[in-house]
Amino acid sequence: MGRLSLFTGPTADMSEDEKMKLLRMKKKKKDFDFMTCSVLKEQQKHLLASLHFKAVYNYLFFIPSIFITLATGVLAVLSQSDLFTEHSQSIFTLTISALASFSVFWQS
């Protein structure tokens, strides 16, 4: 009877060198599988972190920035209106400048 294939294991008629070679090949395959698994785990971790930080960016930076810019625009229109006194218009102007400064700080 002849040898069995590499995947069925060593047989009795294999020499010691062939058995050692087979064991080294199995160990290399096991190490390679472990390394591949580790790389795939790291890749998945980085992908999930990327998704998380995109969501954090949207909720903490992008969306508030839109609302700050919107408030600045509305206040700019209201500050030019004749419905308010000069004192109120100056307060609107100061608020606009503060919001614009904060918006620049927030986006940088």
Side-chain angles (χ1 to χ4, degrees):
M1 213 167 135
R3 288 189 187 141
L4 296 174
S5 72
L6 178 66
F7 300 108
T8 59
T11 61
D13 61 343
M14 290 179 82
S15 69
E16 285 297 316
D17 290 336
E18 290 174 331
K19 288 179 183 178
M20 290 303 292
K21 184 178 178 182
L22 183 64
L23 288 174
R24 283 193 301 268
M25 287 174 56
K26 285 183 179 180
K27 180 165 178 18
K28 282 183 182 180
K29 182 177 178 347
K30 182 179 175 184
D31 290 345
F32 180 75
D33 290 343
F34 178 76
M35 186 173 39
T36 304
C37 183
S38 296
V39 168
L40 291 174
K41 284 180 185 176
E42 286 294 319
Q43 184 181 17
Q44 184 68 19
K45 184 173 27 172
H46 286 283
L47 178 68
L48 291 173
S50 170
L51 291 173
H52 169 73
F53 287 119
K54 283 180 185 176
V56 168
Y57 173 79
N58 282 338
Y59 289 119
L60 292 181
F61 296 109
F62 187 67
I63 293 173
S65 172
I66 290 171
F67 286 118
I68 290 171
T69 305
L70 175 70
T72 304
V74 169
L75 288 176
V77 170
L78 289 177
S79 71
Q80 298 299 316
S81 173
D82 291 334
L83 298 174
F84 300 102
T85 63
E86 270 191 45
H87 179 68
S88 296
Q89 289 177 348
S90 64
I91 290 175
F92 282 149
T93 306
L94 287 174
T95 306
I96 290 168
S97 62
L99 282 175
S101 298
F102 182 74
S103 177
V104 168
F105 170 75
W106 189 261
Q107 293 174 6
S108 63

